Amino acid sequence: MRSLKLGMVGGGPGAGIGPAHRRAARLDGHFELVAGAFSRDASRNRAMAEELGIAPDRVYADFATMASAEARRPDGIECVSIVTPNDTHSAASLAFIERGIDVICDKPMATSLADAIAVEKAAATRGVVFALTHNYSAYPMVAQARHLVRAGELGTIRIVAVEYAMGGRYRLVEAEGDAKMAWRVDSAIAGPSTVLGDIGTHAHHLLRTITGLEIESLSAELTTIVSGRTADDNALVNLRFRGGARGHMWACMAAPGNGHGLRIRVFGDQASLHWDHDKPDELAVRAENSPYVTQRRGEPYLGDEAKHASRTKAGNPAGYFEAFANVYADAAEAIRARREGRPCNPLARSFGTAHDGVLGMRFIEAAVDSHRRGGAWVDAMVDALVQRC
Amino acid sequence: MRSLKLGMVGGGPGAGIGPAHRRAARLDGHFELVAGAFSRDASRNRAMAEELGIAPDRVYADFATMASAEARRPDGIECVSIVTPNDTHSAASLAFIERGIDVICDKPMATSLADAIAVEKAAATRGVVFALTHNYSAYPMVAQARHLVRAGELGTIRIVAVEYAMGGRYRLVEAEGDAKMAWRVDSAIAGPSTVLGDIGTHAHHLLRTITGLEIESLSAELTTIVSGRTADDNALVNLRFRGGARGHMWACMAAPGNGHGLRIRVFGDQASLHWDHDKPDELAVRAENSPYVTQRRGEPYLGDEAKHASRTKAGNPAGYFEAFANVYADAAEAIRARREGRPCNPLARSFGTAHDGVLGMRFIEAAVDSHRRGGAWVDAMVDALVQRC
Amino acid sequence: MRSLKLGMVGGGPGAGIGPAHRRAARLDGHFELVAGAFSRDASRNRAMAEELGIAPDRVYADFATMASAEARRPDGIECVSIVTPNDTHSAASLAFIERGIDVICDKPMATSLADAIAVEKAAATRGVVFALTHNYSAYPMVAQARHLVRAGELGTIRIVAVEYAMGGRYRLVEAEGDAKMAWRVDSAIAGPSTVLGDIGTHAHHLLRTITGLEIESLSAELTTIVSGRTADDNALVNLRFRGGARGHMWACMAAPGNGHGLRIRVFGDQASLHWDHDKPDELAVRAENSPYVTQRRGEPYLGDEAKHASRTKAGNPAGYFEAFANVYADAAEAIRARREGRPCNPLARSFGTAHDGVLGMRFIEAAVDSHRRGGAWVDAMVDALVQRC
Amino acid sequence: MRSLKLGMVGGGPGAGIGPAHRRAARLDGHFELVAGAFSRDASRNRAMAEELGIAPDRVYADFATMASAEARRPDGIECVSIVTPNDTHSAASLAFIERGIDVICDKPMATSLADAIAVEKAAATRGVVFALTHNYSAYPMVAQARHLVRAGELGTIRIVAVEYAMGGRYRLVEAEGDAKMAWRVDSAIAGPSTVLGDIGTHAHHLLRTITGLEIESLSAELTTIVSGRTADDNALVNLRFRGGARGHMWACMAAPGNGHGLRIRVFGDQASLHWDHDKPDELAVRAENSPYVTQRRGEPYLGDEAKHASRTKAGNPAGYFEAFANVYADAAEAIRARREGRPCNPLARSFGTAHDGVLGMRFIEAAVDSHRRGGAWVDAMVDALVQRC
């Protein structure tokens, strides 16, 4: 099976998420990285290209040059990974979409709802694949959680509790030389809410992925708990879902000692499920008056989606890069299906869609609005329906 | 050391909490149960007295008769346990307080703030001991958590997340013959909020015990998630503390598969602590960039309060009855100190005070008020300071 | 229900296990402690009696005096707890058995197999209750484990792995003033193997309780791993059971950081069960290709024995004293049944029998023999069958 | 950085471990797979080559043909992965070693000690890299465990308990079509002990990696617990180490419900460490009278080796493929260093050496010998010293 020719925008020396994208792209052998605009700094750009074995004539000063040059090459890239800070996501996506190059883009999709919608529309018009790397939703047991919810194992969902409360930015690290935080506290780059754009959107996508619920309205309090910080770093968001279920999200960048801190619990009228990113291979399913049950990745009793997303048997722990690689593997399938004019494998859905990205921006803007209005409940609905693959 | 002569109001056959109080009173040998008004039903009252070996002339039809009769006896009870449904707590407490009999009372202290204040005032005027059985705050590692907070191990507290989300009432059990739930959904007996009166006050007391923080204002949403229920069973409460810290409480009676579901996490600007009632002998203390630490009951490195509250070495699990017995042991010390005219051991503080009970009712009434006002932030301060032992 | 009149031998000030026996006796209200020979030191004996509220005329200089004096009193004790160091167990037991007084005795039953057999015979001849406090076998989920094995849930048992590896004596604490260890390293008091007598017998009883397997032969290595110690403190014992199953026991007093360290796993040809004393309310039951299952104390799906051994609902942790109190509660039932001439409740079996004690001594002597013969496999069978209650 | 040109022997369609080697080789981009002899079946061989994008002229019928052909090509492979069943390991290794091609070989190194020694000697003579894929020893926290032992954090080691007890072969799966088990129960292919060759050697390498201890003598019992099986599937091995420490290994292929079941605990005279493959990112370090400590992968306090072996920050779980990829990454460094005539990075040591492989075979043969002699203690020393990288 031929590898897909991949380009990359961002991910220069010292970048945060670039290496994860590259490992994810490599793990299953679906992609070959052949072009890049890794850094705006020319020497850093060249250095990274050399480390990666990219031919010098395919190293570009910026995404626009790269998009037009690669589109002209007979052996040009078929797809691109966009792993820059947030403010470039939508513009870079548009540049490649317009040239029919499939896009894999880090989250959030944009820094405004309007920009996100523009990308969604362009991708739909051009018919290209747009895959948003909500890698935390791509674990096999998240797929299993979705499966159980849809199979009715929990009954009707009543309550969802999701949290993504990490500790890494518990000090004013942006003043101590943490370059990855420095741009995150600049709203011109990060968007209207730092904590929601950076991690809240992951929690939002995770809860939507598992429950399929649509947020009807929300009440949010966005606060800055680290003194001196110029952006929010803590969010408490109460949620009302269409149909009456209630939920709560806590997103925080400054909870020292809470580890990575991504966790979701879904309570139905029959049973509940519990997934913790610290133990991603496990999914607890619990009902009253019954023994506690833990389902495990790699087991024969799982649903097809969880099996599709797994590479090895239970007991050999799967981790972060494998979930990330699921996004790439499923994107590869979607890209190949499009290019081969055949239907995509319906199990290949571990990436976020353009519409997921739009909903993420809608969520952020509604939360910011609620906060500005003293925590008032504000509408958070989006008319269009979610479409995937 | 002579046992204290104890009476009991409530706790008849089939009662929920009565047997726990009796085991707690027995474990350390501080009390001898010699009188009771166990049930309003005469035959059930007699049956329980007989099972407990109570002399027939000390079995009473009601608390008022018992209070006056026992006060007249030269060998009358020195203290009383009140373990009835909520609506009797304050009246019964007053009956014994007025006669100089020390009171151990189940929570909540009353069904209204006004009644709670009346009890606090009467106890202060008469100088008797009033011990509220917030047994979940009486675990040794809760005492250690308080110790660490006060010693500054967490730095300045920024966020508190507490939840008491149990599953037992996930169906309409009150319609299926669950007598313990039947009275809890009757606001005339249970008070203005079922979920907060029954379990929210425990979470409230636990967070106050550990953090020492005072709630300045709160925003609450009280909902009924079990169809057909006539009382609330789910509460989401956002908290602002004096000094700026934020918090969140989730109290729920209908979260199937969540076990007992009592858990607290406190995040400071240096470190955090994590206590889960499922593993009460452990207290996690965690900072960024440092190994995770778990302190354990019974160890030499603990503070004096945790040592005081422990009966055996680490490794031999301590549980529910021992925490409950800590309330009784410390109440015994307070009662003896009062009666002997000597200072109470300052470590004997595992019971709630009358003022804790007042604050609990203040919390409930503020939450009900906020909910009625659509989740508006409402003031929740109480002027008086907390005093104990 | 009238309390049983109880005496105690041993358990003076500073004693290790005495307070646990007293709390266990008190928790459910079945016993009233009315007499004692707590210490050979007269003033310490009196001090403990006073603290416990024992009448001065029922405080005795030694067990022999106590046995004869109490047997003559019309209100004499009906049963006695023997909580002395090992070398007194059999002699004291015989003194009370001979007078028809029921005995609750700490383990090991004796310091030699011959002495143990003498006690078993005497108890059988006199028809009294002899209850050995193997308190670690008295947890509800141990009863459930036995239930599942007998119900065939594991299939045929193939492998048993049991360990009791604690850390408390990892230094030469007996040279640092640890009086409880000082007598344990004196073989004249502790018996032929310190590590097996002190903790190995608990592991042995636990595995027999759960599996019902009989040890056919064993190969043991007993070593002293703490330099300067005059007794063994580490035992590795391989086991062959009647019927072909294999097993392994590790008993150690010097495994620093291993906590209490009591744990058992039983593997059948269908499934396995896993019980860890650190989480006594849980029992894991696991099969290949099936979700992992955890059964919990206090739940409706448990067998009758586990329900009988539980006092409160799941979620409120039960611990060490409750298991210990199960031994006392079931002993109370056995004693009452004998005295009332009625059958004992068949569920009241959480204490060790005299025959269990004999098997424990057989196990120790076989292990010592194997060790002396360089780890040779030696026979460990006992002809008589186990009988209880 | 140029990729190393890699060949592969074995790993055809349906093979067990081949895909893991390929993912491990890809993850960090150090290798490019360009040649192979994947299967003795020509059509399966071609099919795999096509799936992997291997040029048809570099697909070979067998390892001998491949070794000679590739050695002649100017662009021939620089290294080879040998992932066949055990009986080919040494012969294939020799074929490539003799031509100066560096070897990465799955364990066990051979099916006899003599063959293993021949490979070790050949690799030493030719000066090539020989990397044995003991992937379970390549987790970052295993490196940290070794670091702590060497830094003296445990004091002097007294006891090592290691187990690798999995459940997958708890039924006679070789009779049900499990091809991967079919060859494992054929001693001509698998070697003298199935359970030790397949998983016991991993446990053996893990304990040696962490502790650095040398086995002086051992006493083993090898049994077949699954009825009808023609090979051993359970091993109990007691260990005496040079210097006096004791240990125990349990290896089992038929422990249903025990998961992957690889776990090690090391007890010194000061503290202990506990590592469980189920939670590979954690390492517990525990001393008496001190809080329990858990170190985590990705943290700044770790030693250099653990940092070298980690790709992402703590909290993003690392798993099986990353440990496997550590073996490949470090082999790449060793191969490059050799080819560039420079010293190897001393941290690049996560693969087993040829001498490790020799010691593994020595261990198996000693255990088989002890078992045949009724569990007698037999010598297990090897004179030569371990050398790496």
Side-chain angles (χ1 to χ4, degrees):
Chain A
M1 202 156 50
R2 196 179 58 72
S3 298
L4 292 165
K5 289 187 288 294
L6 177 71
M8 180 168 278
V9 180
I17 201 66
H21 280 261
R22 289 192 288 262
R23 284 202 171 87
R26 278 196 294 253
L27 186 68
D28 299 310
H30 295 303
F31 296 91
E32 187 184 4
L33 184 59
V34 297
F38 302 105
S39 174
R40 297 178 201 178
D41 177 293
S43 71
R44 293 166 63 81
N45 196 13
R46 275 195 308 272
M48 181 51 66
E50 191 165 348
E51 183 185 322
L52 295 170
I54 308 291
D57 66 325
R58 299 182 83 170
V59 187
Y60 302 96
D62 52 57
F63 69 78
T65 313
M66 175 169 158
S68 61
E70 287 289 325
R72 284 193 302 268
R73 289 179 72 113
D75 64 345
I77 58 171
E78 297 160 291
C79 44
V80 68
S81 289
I82 299 168
V83 300
T84 52
N86 305 355
D87 60 334
T88 327
H89 290 181
S90 60
S93 293
L94 289 171
F96 291 95
I97 289 169
E98 284 162 7
R99 287 166 176 91
I101 294 170
D102 296 298
V103 172
I104 298 167
C105 182
D106 209 77
K107 45 49 60 186
M109 189 179 188
T111 53
S112 74
L113 176 59
D115 285 352
I117 289 172
V119 172
E120 185 185 20
K121 284 188 177 162
T125 303
R126 250 339 220 117
V128 303
V129 171
F130 181 89
L132 198 63
T133 50
H134 277 304
N135 53 295
Y136 297 109
S137 302
Y139 283 93
M141 298 314 281
V142 169
Q144 178 67 4
R146 174 173 53 198
H147 169 73
L148 294 177
V149 167
R150 294 183 187 187
E153 295 287 330
L154 309 192
T156 301
I157 295 177
R158 288 169 171 167
I159 307 174
V160 185
V162 64
E163 60 186 55
Y164 195 161
M166 59 198 311
R169 278 73 185 247
Y170 78 109
R171 289 182 291 113
L172 198 64
V173 292
E174 57 269 41
E176 300 170 12
D178 182 337
K180 294 166 200 163
M181 191 57 180
W183 69 257
R184 281 180 167 83
V185 295
D186 178 348
S187 65
I189 303 178
S193 167
T194 292
V195 69
L196 292 180
D198 196 42
I199 56 178
T201 48
H202 275 313
H204 172 259
H205 188 262
L206 181 66
L207 89 80
R208 287 185 51 252
T209 296
I210 292 177
T211 68
L213 290 173
E214 203 173 347
I215 300 173
E216 197 169 79
S217 60
L218 59 78
S219 163
E221 186 187 44
L222 308 178
T223 49
T224 302
I225 61 175
V226 172
S227 184
R229 182 156 288 160
T230 60
D232 55 20
D233 52 17
N234 189 66
L236 290 168
V237 190
N238 287 320
L239 304 164
R240 291 176 181 162
F241 298 100
R242 186 181 278 210
R246 302 299 166 103
H248 181 69
M249 178 195 291
W250 177 35
C252 184
M253 306 173 90
N258 204 43
H260 196 74
L262 176 62
R263 193 167 82 108
I264 187 165
R265 293 175 288 171
V266 181
F267 298 89
D269 61 7
Q270 298 300 320
S272 57
L273 59 81
H274 308 243
W275 184 77
D276 189 331
H277 179 256
D278 280 350
K279 299 178 183 174
D281 278 358
E282 296 182 6
L283 177 67
V285 187
R286 298 178 181 169
E288 292 293 301
N289 307 319
S290 298
Y292 279 4
V293 163
T294 302
Q295 299 192 355
R296 298 164 71 234
R297 187 195 54 75
E299 291 283 17
Y301 50 76
L302 299 179
D304 288 342
E305 284 192 25
K307 287 177 178 169
H308 167 79
S310 176
R311 289 169 188 77
T312 182
K313 63 185 174 184
N316 279 329
Y320 173 78
F321 289 116
E322 283 140 277
F324 221 127
N326 285 339
V327 170
Y328 270 83
D330 286 356
E333 162 62 11
I335 293 167
R336 285 172 171 147
R338 177 176 91 82
R339 291 176 176 269
E340 297 165 12
R342 61 165 173 82
C344 179
N345 177 352
L347 298 175
R349 39 185 303 151
S350 63
F351 56 85
T353 63
H355 193 62
D356 288 337
V358 166
L359 288 171
M361 289 312 302
R362 178 78 176 93
F363 168 70
I364 293 175
E365 294 197 357
V368 169
D369 184 33
S370 169
H371 174 67
R372 287 189 182 140
R373 292 160 60 188
W377 287 90
V378 302
D379 179 75
M381 296 289 287
V382 171
D383 292 330
L385 294 173
V386 180
Q387 291 177 328
R388 302 190 80 162
C389 186
Chain B
M1 201 156 49
R2 197 178 58 73
S3 299
L4 291 166
K5 289 187 288 293
L6 177 71
M8 180 169 276
V9 180
I17 202 67
H21 279 261
R22 289 192 288 262
R23 284 201 173 88
R26 278 197 294 253
L27 185 67
D28 299 309
H30 294 304
F31 297 90
E32 187 184 5
L33 183 60
V34 296
F38 302 104
S39 175
R40 296 178 200 178
D41 177 292
S43 73
R44 293 165 62 81
N45 196 14
R46 275 195 308 273
M48 180 51 68
E50 193 166 346
E51 183 185 322
L52 295 170
I54 308 291
D57 66 325
R58 300 182 81 168
V59 187
Y60 301 97
D62 54 54
F63 69 77
T65 313
M66 175 169 157
S68 60
E70 287 289 325
R72 282 193 303 269
R73 289 179 71 114
D75 64 347
I77 58 172
E78 296 160 291
C79 45
V80 67
S81 289
I82 299 169
V83 299
T84 52
N86 304 355
D87 61 334
T88 327
H89 290 181
S90 61
S93 293
L94 289 171
F96 291 95
I97 288 169
E98 284 162 6
R99 285 167 178 91
I101 295 170
D102 296 299
V103 172
I104 298 167
C105 182
D106 210 77
K107 45 49 58 185
M109 189 181 186
T111 52
S112 75
L113 176 58
D115 285 352
I117 290 172
V119 172
E120 184 185 21
K121 284 188 178 163
T125 304
R126 248 341 220 117
V128 303
V129 172
F130 180 89
L132 199 63
T133 52
H134 277 304
N135 52 295
Y136 296 108
S137 301
Y139 283 93
M141 298 314 281
V142 169
Q144 179 67 5
R146 173 173 54 199
H147 169 72
L148 294 176
V149 167
R150 294 183 187 186
E153 295 287 331
L154 308 193
T156 301
I157 295 177
R158 289 168 171 169
I159 306 174
V160 185
V162 64
E163 60 186 55
Y164 194 161
M166 60 197 310
R169 278 74 185 247
Y170 78 108
R171 289 182 291 112
L172 198 64
V173 293
E174 58 269 42
E176 300 169 12
D178 181 336
K180 294 166 200 164
M181 191 57 181
W183 70 256
R184 280 179 166 84
V185 295
D186 180 347
S187 65
I189 303 178
S193 167
T194 292
V195 68
L196 292 181
D198 197 41
I199 56 179
T201 48
H202 276 312
H204 172 259
H205 188 262
L206 181 67
L207 88 80
R208 287 185 50 252
T209 296
I210 291 176
T211 67
L213 291 174
E214 203 172 348
I215 300 172
E216 197 169 80
S217 61
L218 59 78
S219 163
E221 186 187 43
L222 309 178
T223 48
T224 302
I225 61 176
V226 173
S227 182
R229 182 156 288 160
T230 60
D232 55 22
D233 52 17
N234 189 66
L236 289 168
V237 189
N238 287 321
L239 303 165
R240 291 177 182 162
F241 297 101
R242 184 182 280 210
R246 302 299 165 104
H248 180 71
M249 179 195 292
W250 177 33
C252 184
M253 305 173 91
N258 204 43
H260 196 74
L262 177 61
R263 192 167 81 108
I264 187 165
R265 293 174 289 171
V266 181
F267 297 89
D269 60 9
Q270 298 300 320
S272 59
L273 59 82
H274 308 244
W275 184 78
D276 188 330
H277 179 256
D278 280 350
K279 299 178 182 174
D281 278 358
E282 296 182 6
L283 177 66
V285 187
R286 299 178 179 168
E288 291 295 299
N289 307 321
S290 298
Y292 280 4
V293 163
T294 302
Q295 299 192 355
R296 299 163 71 234
R297 186 195 55 74
E299 291 284 17
Y301 51 75
L302 300 179
D304 288 342
E305 284 191 26
K307 287 177 178 170
H308 167 79
S310 176
R311 289 169 188 77
T312 183
K313 62 185 176 185
N316 279 329
Y320 173 78
F321 289 118
E322 282 140 276
F324 221 126
N326 284 340
V327 170
Y328 270 83
D330 286 355
E333 163 61 11
I335 293 167
R336 283 172 171 147
R338 177 177 90 82
R339 291 177 176 269
E340 296 167 11
R342 61 167 173 82
C344 180
N345 177 351
L347 298 175
R349 37 185 304 151
S350 64
F351 55 86
T353 63
H355 194 62
D356 289 337
V358 166
L359 289 171
M361 289 311 303
R362 178 78 177 92
F363 168 72
I364 294 176
E365 294 197 357
V368 169
D369 184 33
S370 169
H371 174 67
R372 286 189 183 139
R373 293 160 59 186
W377 288 91
V378 302
D379 179 77
M381 297 287 290
V382 171
D383 292 330
L385 295 174
V386 180
Q387 291 177 328
R388 301 189 81 162
C389 188
Chain C
M1 199 155 53
R2 197 178 58 73
S3 298
L4 292 165
K5 289 186 290 291
L6 177 71
M8 179 168 277
V9 179
I17 201 67
H21 279 260
R22 289 192 288 262
R23 284 203 172 88
R26 278 196 294 253
L27 186 67
D28 299 310
H30 295 303
F31 297 90
E32 188 184 5
L33 182 61
V34 296
F38 302 104
S39 174
R40 296 179 200 176
D41 176 293
S43 72
R44 292 164 64 81
N45 196 14
R46 274 195 309 272
M48 180 52 67
E50 190 165 348
E51 183 184 322
L52 295 170
I54 309 291
D57 66 326
R58 300 183 80 170
V59 187
Y60 301 97
D62 53 55
F63 69 76
T65 313
M66 177 169 154
S68 61
E70 287 289 326
R72 283 193 302 270
R73 289 180 72 113
D75 65 345
I77 57 171
E78 296 161 291
C79 45
V80 67
S81 290
I82 298 168
V83 298
T84 52
N86 304 355
D87 62 333
T88 328
H89 290 179
S90 60
S93 293
L94 289 172
F96 291 94
I97 288 170
E98 284 162 8
R99 285 167 178 91
I101 295 170
D102 297 298
V103 171
I104 298 166
C105 182
D106 210 77
K107 42 51 58 185
M109 190 180 187
T111 52
S112 74
L113 177 58
D115 285 352
I117 290 173
V119 172
E120 185 186 20
K121 283 188 179 163
T125 303
R126 255 328 227 121
V128 304
V129 172
F130 180 89
L132 198 63
T133 50
H134 277 304
N135 52 295
Y136 297 108
S137 301
Y139 282 93
M141 297 315 281
V142 170
Q144 178 66 4
R146 173 174 54 199
H147 169 73
L148 294 177
V149 167
R150 294 184 187 187
E153 295 287 330
L154 308 192
T156 302
I157 294 177
R158 289 169 171 170
I159 306 174
V160 185
V162 64
E163 60 185 54
Y164 194 160
M166 59 197 312
R169 278 74 185 245
Y170 78 108
R171 289 183 290 112
L172 198 65
V173 293
E174 57 270 42
E176 301 169 11
D178 182 336
K180 293 166 200 165
M181 190 58 180
W183 70 256
R184 281 180 166 84
V185 294
D186 179 348
S187 65
I189 303 178
S193 167
T194 291
V195 69
L196 292 181
D198 197 40
I199 57 179
T201 47
H202 276 314
H204 172 258
H205 188 261
L206 181 66
L207 87 79
R208 288 185 50 252
T209 296
I210 291 177
T211 67
L213 291 173
E214 204 172 347
I215 300 172
E216 198 169 78
S217 61
L218 59 78
S219 163
E221 185 186 44
L222 308 179
T223 48
T224 301
I225 60 175
V226 173
S227 182
R229 182 156 287 160
T230 60
D232 55 21
D233 53 16
N234 190 65
L236 289 168
V237 190
N238 286 322
L239 303 166
R240 292 177 181 161
F241 298 101
R242 184 181 280 210
R246 302 298 165 105
H248 180 69
M249 179 194 292
W250 177 34
C252 184
M253 305 173 92
N258 205 43
H260 196 74
L262 176 62
R263 192 167 81 109
I264 188 165
R265 293 174 289 171
V266 182
F267 297 89
D269 61 8
Q270 298 300 319
S272 58
L273 59 81
H274 308 244
W275 184 77
D276 188 331
H277 179 255
D278 280 350
K279 298 178 182 175
D281 278 359
E282 297 183 6
L283 177 66
V285 187
R286 298 177 180 170
E288 291 294 300
N289 307 319
S290 298
Y292 280 4
V293 164
T294 302
Q295 299 192 354
R296 298 163 71 232
R297 187 196 54 75
E299 291 283 18
Y301 50 75
L302 300 178
D304 288 342
E305 284 191 25
K307 286 177 177 170
H308 167 79
S310 176
R311 288 168 189 78
T312 183
K313 64 184 174 185
N316 280 328
Y320 173 77
F321 289 117
E322 282 141 276
F324 221 126
N326 285 340
V327 170
Y328 270 83
D330 286 355
E333 163 61 11
I335 293 167
R336 283 171 172 148
R338 178 177 89 82
R339 292 177 176 269
E340 295 167 12
R342 60 166 173 82
C344 179
N345 177 352
L347 298 175
R349 38 185 304 151
S350 63
F351 55 85
T353 64
H355 193 62
D356 288 337
V358 166
L359 288 171
M361 290 311 302
R362 178 78 176 93
F363 169 71
I364 293 175
E365 293 197 356
V368 170
D369 185 32
S370 169
H371 174 67
R372 287 190 183 138
R373 293 161 58 188
W377 287 90
V378 303
D379 179 76
M381 296 288 288
V382 171
D383 292 329
L385 294 173
V386 179
Q387 291 176 328
R388 300 190 80 164
C389 188
Chain D
M1 201 154 52
R2 197 178 57 74
S3 297
L4 292 165
K5 289 187 289 291
L6 177 72
M8 180 168 278
V9 180
I17 201 66
H21 280 261
R22 289 192 288 263
R23 283 203 172 87
R26 279 196 294 254
L27 186 68
D28 298 310
H30 295 303
F31 297 90
E32 188 184 5
L33 183 61
V34 297
F38 303 106
S39 175
R40 298 177 200 178
D41 177 293
S43 72
R44 293 164 63 81
N45 196 13
R46 276 195 307 273
M48 180 53 66
E50 192 165 347
E51 183 185 322
L52 295 170
I54 308 291
D57 66 326
R58 300 183 80 170
V59 187
Y60 301 96
D62 52 56
F63 68 78
T65 314
M66 176 168 156
S68 61
E70 287 289 325
R72 283 194 301 270
R73 290 179 71 112
D75 64 345
I77 57 171
E78 296 160 291
C79 45
V80 68
S81 290
I82 299 168
V83 301
T84 52
N86 304 355
D87 60 335
T88 327
H89 290 181
S90 59
S93 293
L94 288 172
F96 291 94
I97 288 170
E98 285 162 7
R99 287 167 176 90
I101 295 171
D102 296 298
V103 172
I104 299 167
C105 182
D106 210 77
K107 41 53 55 186
M109 189 180 187
T111 53
S112 74
L113 176 59
D115 286 352
I117 289 172
V119 173
E120 185 186 20
K121 284 188 178 163
T125 303
R126 251 336 221 118
V128 305
V129 172
F130 180 88
L132 198 62
T133 50
H134 277 303
N135 53 294
Y136 296 109
S137 301
Y139 282 94
M141 298 314 283
V142 169
Q144 178 67 3
R146 173 173 52 199
H147 169 73
L148 294 178
V149 167
R150 294 184 186 187
E153 295 287 331
L154 308 192
T156 301
I157 295 178
R158 288 169 171 169
I159 307 174
V160 185
V162 64
E163 61 186 53
Y164 194 161
M166 58 197 311
R169 278 74 185 246
Y170 78 108
R171 289 183 290 112
L172 198 65
V173 292
E174 57 270 42
E176 300 170 12
D178 183 337
K180 294 166 200 164
M181 190 58 181
W183 70 256
R184 281 180 167 82
V185 295
D186 179 348
S187 64
I189 304 178
S193 167
T194 292
V195 69
L196 292 181
D198 196 41
I199 56 179
T201 48
H202 276 313
H204 171 259
H205 187 262
L206 181 67
L207 89 78
R208 287 185 50 253
T209 296
I210 291 176
T211 67
L213 290 173
E214 204 173 347
I215 299 173
E216 198 169 78
S217 61
L218 59 78
S219 162
E221 185 186 43
L222 308 178
T223 48
T224 301
I225 61 176
V226 173
S227 183
R229 181 157 287 160
T230 60
D232 55 21
D233 53 15
N234 189 66
L236 289 169
V237 189
N238 286 322
L239 303 165
R240 292 177 181 162
F241 298 100
R242 185 181 279 209
R246 302 299 166 105
H248 180 71
M249 179 195 292
W250 176 35
C252 184
M253 305 173 92
N258 205 43
H260 196 75
L262 176 61
R263 193 167 81 109
I264 188 165
R265 293 174 288 171
V266 181
F267 296 89
D269 61 8
Q270 297 301 320
S272 57
L273 58 82
H274 309 244
W275 184 77
D276 188 331
H277 179 256
D278 280 349
K279 299 178 183 175
D281 278 358
E282 297 182 5
L283 176 66
V285 187
R286 297 178 181 170
E288 292 294 299
N289 306 320
S290 298
Y292 280 4
V293 163
T294 302
Q295 299 192 355
R296 299 163 71 233
R297 187 195 53 75
E299 291 284 17
Y301 50 77
L302 300 179
D304 288 343
E305 284 191 25
K307 286 177 178 170
H308 167 79
S310 175
R311 290 168 188 77
T312 181
K313 63 185 175 184
N316 279 329
Y320 173 77
F321 289 116
E322 283 140 276
F324 222 127
N326 285 339
V327 170
Y328 270 83
D330 287 354
E333 162 62 11
I335 293 167
R336 284 171 171 149
R338 176 176 91 82
R339 293 177 174 269
E340 297 166 12
R342 61 164 173 83
C344 180
N345 177 352
L347 297 175
R349 39 186 304 151
S350 64
F351 55 85
T353 63
H355 194 61
D356 288 337
V358 167
L359 288 171
M361 289 313 301
R362 178 77 176 93
F363 169 71
I364 293 175
E365 293 197 357
V368 170
D369 184 33
S370 169
H371 174 66
R372 287 189 183 141
R373 292 161 59 188
W377 287 91
V378 302
D379 178 76
M381 296 289 288
V382 171
D383 292 330
L385 294 173
V386 179
Q387 291 177 327
R388 300 190 82 164
C389 188

